[in-house]
Amino acid sequence: MTNTGELRIGVFVPVGAQLLDLSPIDLFAMLSPQYLTACTLPAPLVMLGTPSMIHYIALPDTGSHVELTASAFLKVSKTIEDPEVQPGLLDILLIPGPDPASTFREEILDFVRAHAAWRGEDGECVGILCICTGIYMLGQSGILTGKSASGPRALIPDLKKKFPTVKWVADKRWVTDGNIWTSGMHLSTELDFPNSMRVIQNVTCFVLTLT
């Protein structure tokens, strides 16, 4: 059956992020029918493709671009105040890893909390996809309390100290608990490519079953 749905994805970069941590968003883009067609894949596979609308979200006072590592700059397409990226209007909120020493402003944490908590009338929810040190933003927001989560292996002791109410899983590359997906590093290098695509496909299928 042809998939006619469109994934609405927000990439949340309020204070910058590791450049490589944004790589999973390209894996979502690679699931589009246009990309699959360009790869000359068979028509039955192309029919399973899922197009995406991707927003790069920052704060109103961030400006037109946000600085990433390696002297890269990402163009901001939406702010947390724009109506298109409010809870219920995104299927996935992807959070790439910022500086792990960051202390996040309350408006940043409120934005994460609101998306994590949103539920539609039929049980729809927003998939929260956290990459590497993005786990610190989730930890500070409180949405991981009582949940299982993963993080960068070298930082697990620090995470346990700062967020003791989280069930830290140190021996897993990625962990799912409800609508929250956490990973030790950016999926494209921590996992081999086929497994990276499997994670992305799992997230996509999870979201599509709830929309």
Side-chain angles (χ1 to χ4, degrees):
M1 182 173 63
T2 302
N3 178 12
T4 58
E6 179 182 68
L7 283 178
R8 302 163 300 174
I9 306 174
V11 181
F12 193 31
V13 283
V15 293
Q18 186 80 29
L19 176 59
L20 274 177
D21 286 0
L22 275 81
S23 58
I25 197 62
D26 203 29
L27 297 180
F28 282 108
M30 289 166 64
L31 294 178
S32 72
Q34 294 83 356
Y35 186 90
L36 298 178
T37 299
C39 292
T40 66
L41 293 177
L45 291 180
V46 173
M47 292 174 66
L48 295 174
T50 304
S52 298
M53 171 66 71
I54 302 172
H55 303 293
Y56 295 91
I57 308 167
L59 301 177
D61 58 5
T62 298
S64 61
H65 292 75
V66 62
E67 186 172 4
L68 308 175
T69 57
S71 301
F73 288 85
L74 178 70
K75 186 176 181 179
V76 175
S77 59
K78 299 293 177 185
T79 78
I80 60 174
E81 295 181 351
D82 285 317
E84 298 90 341
V85 298
Q86 298 309 304
L89 295 179
L90 294 178
D91 300 308
I92 296 170
L93 184 66
L94 188 147
I95 301 176
D99 182 344
S102 300
T103 299
F104 301 101
R105 288 157 51 175
E106 198 62 24
E107 59 189 318
I108 294 173
L109 302 179
D110 282 343
F111 186 77
V112 174
R113 292 179 189 122
H115 280 279
W118 181 85
R119 295 293 184 275
E121 293 181 357
D122 297 323
E124 308 99 319
C125 62
V126 179
I128 308 296
L129 182 54
C130 175
I131 311 300
C132 198
T133 55
I135 196 69
Y136 282 89
M137 188 184 299
L138 267 60
Q140 290 182 33
S141 74
I143 67 171
L144 295 177
T145 298
K147 293 184 176 292
S148 297
S150 179
R153 290 181 177 178
L155 296 177
I156 289 293
D158 183 56
L159 290 166
K160 287 182 176 179
K161 180 179 179 180
K162 290 182 176 177
F163 311 111
T165 61
V166 180
K167 302 172 186 176
W168 295 107
V169 183
D171 60 345
K172 299 289 185 182
R173 302 292 180 91
W174 55 278
V175 172
T176 308
D177 194 328
N179 63 320
I180 301 175
W181 301 64
T182 55
S183 62
M185 293 184 69
H186 39 86
L187 298 177
S188 58
T189 57
E190 177 72 356
L191 304 174
D192 56 77
F193 181 78
N195 280 331
S196 296
M197 288 303 296
R198 189 172 299 115
V199 171
I200 295 299
Q201 289 167 343
N202 286 344
V203 175
T204 301
C205 291
F206 169 79
V207 170
L208 289 177
T209 61
L210 296 172
T211 57

